[in-house]
Amino acid sequence: MYIALSVLDGFAAEQWTTAMSSRRDRERRRHRGLPTWRLVRYADDFVIMVHGTREHVEELRGQVSEVLAGVGLVLSPAKTRIVHLADGFDFLGFRIVWMRKRGTDKWHVYTFIADKPVQTLKRKIKALTQKLSHLDYKIALIRINQILRGWANYFKHAVAKHTMARLHTFVWWRMIHWVMHRRRMKWKAVRRWLRTPQGRWEDIELDGIRLFHLGKVPITRYRYRGNSIPTPWPDALTGPIPTA
């Protein structure tokens, strides 16, 4: 599948290098009423960003369908959508939307965490902290921390600070309720367990394993690499479109 889609990469690279590679070329096309576009692909998921009209997008979708048909592939009707960036779309777990910056008249493209990965994470945490679960505390915490660290490393470049803080609260309470049920603890006992003499709240630590604090993950937004991302098919940028 992934190798077959290199045909799509070749099609996009040829269009880009011959007609849209420079700012001047793109401005000239727009002045003539022609669209400019670029492909972004990861494995078998891809999005094509188009500067033009809906008619331009539909024409381009037909061209992409023809390219894929040459290697026996078709666009998925369930996943293929035409949307305006102001309405937003989900891609690789992110919610990408063009919107006005709060308190200003400037518009920017923002990358949020989509709803689906948040719900998936919650289901995983719930499965590990069920009241009737007799899973060892240490094993459960190690697994939860692995899930949280991996999730945070993937999404830490999005607008994610508030989402991660809310998710940490969710995980914290799941752990508290789980411990209270298994140890037959009351809330006052839990407060004594987690509160320091200085009145601060400690993170949960069981059997020497401390709960990973999702809300303290540093967020690095607007990390742009653009054309510096290496391609696994360098010849596709200059050579002819590969054929099956």
Side-chain angles (χ1 to χ4, degrees):
M1 172 68 77
Y2 306 151
I3 297 176
L5 283 176
S6 63
V7 174
L8 181 60
D9 296 333
F11 167 75
E14 183 185 54
Q15 296 292 319
W16 181 263
T17 55
T18 58
M20 299 175 286
S21 59
S22 69
R23 180 186 293 272
R24 185 174 181 179
D25 290 336
R26 295 191 291 273
E27 290 177 349
R28 188 183 296 116
R29 283 181 60 86
R30 293 168 187 166
H31 182 72
R32 292 162 53 194
L34 298 175
T36 56
W37 55 273
R38 194 156 196 183
L39 168 75
V40 178
R41 181 175 77 85
Y42 180 81
D44 60 342
D45 291 320
F46 64 89
V47 59
I48 300 179
M49 299 174 291
V50 182
H51 185 288
T53 65
R54 186 178 182 89
E55 289 73 21
H56 291 144
V57 178
E58 292 175 348
E59 181 182 356
L60 180 59
R61 180 171 62 178
Q63 295 174 2
V64 170
S65 297
E66 292 178 3
V67 172
L68 295 179
V71 291
L73 300 176
V74 295
L75 293 173
S76 169
K79 293 185 177 181
T80 305
R81 299 172 55 220
I82 298 177
V83 298
H84 194 281
L85 194 54
D87 298 325
F89 63 93
D90 293 350
F91 184 57
L92 302 178
F94 295 93
R95 180 69 178 176
I96 302 171
V97 60
W98 182 54
M99 58 186 294
R100 183 176 59 84
K101 184 178 181 181
R102 187 168 52 188
T104 72
D105 292 328
K106 296 181 179 180
W107 288 67
H108 301 278
V109 176
Y110 289 91
T111 304
F112 301 96
I113 304 176
D115 293 335
K116 186 175 180 179
V118 172
Q119 298 303 321
T120 300
L121 176 66
K122 287 183 176 181
R123 285 196 297 269
K124 290 180 179 179
I125 300 302
K126 288 179 180 179
L128 290 168
T129 57
Q130 295 179 9
K131 287 185 176 181
L132 299 180
S133 172
H134 295 286
L135 188 64
D136 184 77
Y137 286 134
K138 185 174 184 178
I139 296 175
L141 264 178
I142 289 175
R143 181 57 184 146
I144 289 173
N145 286 346
Q146 289 173 340
I147 293 172
L148 296 179
R149 284 193 179 95
W151 201 88
N153 285 332
Y154 184 78
F155 288 108
K156 66 182 180 181
H157 299 299
V159 184
K161 193 66 179 179
H162 295 298
T163 302
M164 289 191 179
R166 289 196 299 268
L167 283 172
H168 174 72
T169 301
F170 169 80
V171 177
W172 192 88
W173 277 110
R174 288 293 305 187
M175 290 296 302
I176 289 296
H177 290 152
W178 189 38
V179 172
M180 289 176 64
H181 178 78
R182 290 185 59 174
R183 294 188 174 182
R184 302 294 190 269
M185 296 175 67
K186 300 296 184 181
W187 176 239
K188 288 185 178 180
V190 172
R191 286 193 299 177
R192 288 195 299 269
W193 171 41
L194 294 176
R195 211 162 192 175
T196 66
Q198 293 77 23
R200 295 191 300 269
W201 287 89
E202 291 283 1
D203 292 331
I204 297 174
E205 182 174 334
L206 297 167
D207 295 341
I209 305 298
R210 185 178 292 269
L211 176 65
F212 179 76
H213 200 306
L214 198 60
K216 293 182 179 180
V217 174
I219 303 299
T220 307
R221 288 164 58 183
Y222 312 119
R223 190 181 68 139
Y224 177 75
R225 291 190 293 159
N227 293 333
S228 65
I229 301 176
T231 172
W233 302 285
D235 294 336
L237 298 178
T238 56
I241 300 176
T243 57

